[in-house]
Amino acid sequence: SQTIHQWPATLVQPVGSPLSLECTVEGTSNPNLYWYRQAAGRGLQLLFYSVGIGQISSEVPQNLSASRPQDRQFILSSKKLLLSDSGFYLCAWSGGGFQEKLFFGSGTQLSVL
Amino acid sequence: TQLLEQSPQFLSIQEGENLTVYCNSSSVFSSLQWYRQEPGEGPVLLVTVVTGGEVKKLKRLTFQFGDARKDSSLHITAAQPGDTGLYLCAGATGNQFYFGTGTSLTVIP
């Protein structure tokens, strides 16, 4: 069966510090991968998605970047965090094609102070 | 960025009552999903609807996809405290999934 791992679960970082969040998927090959951000009690904002190694599409220009160094690994990064980067970050995967559904990781609560 | 508006944003009802949540957009989607999310966790898929006008039932939950594939509704019959959570619709277009603004449901015992 497929599983998705996302870490860390919580993170407190000072303004101006770098960020690296990692997500890995097991039990499937060539998944589509996604990074979302969520404000408390609200909907999810699509940040980045990837349909293959090295292929990254950005939905919202901002202080973040994403990379996909391996087929089942997706990384969200920032060189210098801003207060506005605080939020709940979620990684997700889908099988692509007609399998139009997402499977989510457990999320990372990021607080930038 | 595709926009999906959900209404209501907040809903607090007594156990046993019925409710409907709406998801509206001006965009056409190839499919629409409904997810439920608990605090501090990732959303979990409830259902995917693909065909315009499609109706799916999942126990006490009924999902409908609009004829024009731009909107959807979720109806819960005889709500229970276990239904409490954040309900999210999401529209799929190509490889992208765009989420609605969310409906926070509280069912009071």
Side-chain angles (χ1 to χ4, degrees):
Chain A
S1 63
Q2 301 91 357
T3 57
I4 178 169
H5 303 279
Q6 184 182 343
W7 67 93
T10 59
L11 191 58
V12 179
Q13 292 285 99
V15 170
S17 64
L19 172 74
S20 180
L21 300 180
E22 190 164 342
C23 171
T24 59
V25 180
E26 296 178 357
T28 186
S29 60
N30 197 30
N32 292 341
L33 297 172
Y34 303 82
W35 279 111
Y36 286 89
R37 180 169 61 198
Q38 184 179 30
R42 301 294 288 166
L44 280 63
Q45 178 187 33
L46 179 60
L47 302 176
F48 302 95
Y49 70 96
S50 171
V51 299
I53 296 174
Q55 300 179 58
I56 308 295
S57 296
S58 173
E59 281 291 304
V60 183
Q62 54 200 318
N63 187 41
L64 302 169
S65 62
S67 61
R68 185 171 178 173
Q70 300 180 42
D71 181 45
R72 292 170 290 176
Q73 184 185 28
F74 206 23
I75 298 172
L76 182 69
S77 304
S78 174
K79 292 182 179 179
K80 289 185 177 182
L81 284 168
L82 306 173
L83 287 173
S84 58
D85 291 324
S86 294
F88 191 50
Y89 288 82
L90 288 155
C91 180
W93 73 273
S94 77
F98 293 103
Q99 300 180 42
E100 295 188 335
K101 51 189 174 183
L102 289 172
F103 299 92
F104 284 88
S106 52
T108 296
Q109 184 64 54
L110 173 65
S111 299
V112 182
L113 306 177
Chain B
T1 301
Q2 317 285 350
L3 293 176
L4 291 94
E5 293 288 335
Q6 285 184 238
S7 61
Q9 182 179 348
F10 299 98
L11 193 54
S12 181
I13 61 172
Q14 295 289 329
E15 182 177 359
E17 293 183 349
N18 302 331
L19 67 115
T20 302
V21 178
Y22 298 94
C23 174
N24 295 295
S25 175
S26 58
S27 302
V28 176
F29 297 102
S30 57
S31 72
L32 196 140
Q33 304 96 48
W34 284 92
Y35 296 80
R36 181 167 164 267
Q37 185 181 22
E38 300 282 353
E41 299 179 6
V44 175
L45 178 72
L46 295 173
V47 76
T48 300
V49 285
V50 179
T51 306
E54 181 178 1
V55 177
K56 278 192 175 179
K57 291 190 175 182
L58 184 66
K59 297 183 179 178
R60 295 177 292 102
L61 278 61
T62 302
F63 306 85
Q64 185 164 8
F65 200 11
D67 291 340
R69 307 212 317 274
K70 294 182 179 181
D71 52 78
S72 180
S73 64
L74 158 61
H75 182 79
I76 301 179
T77 303
Q80 299 177 0
D83 295 327
T84 293
L86 180 67
Y87 288 82
L88 297 159
C89 64
T93 175
N95 291 308
Q96 294 115 299
F97 296 78
Y98 297 98
F99 279 77
T101 47
T103 296
S104 180
L105 171 65
T106 301
V107 182
I108 302 167

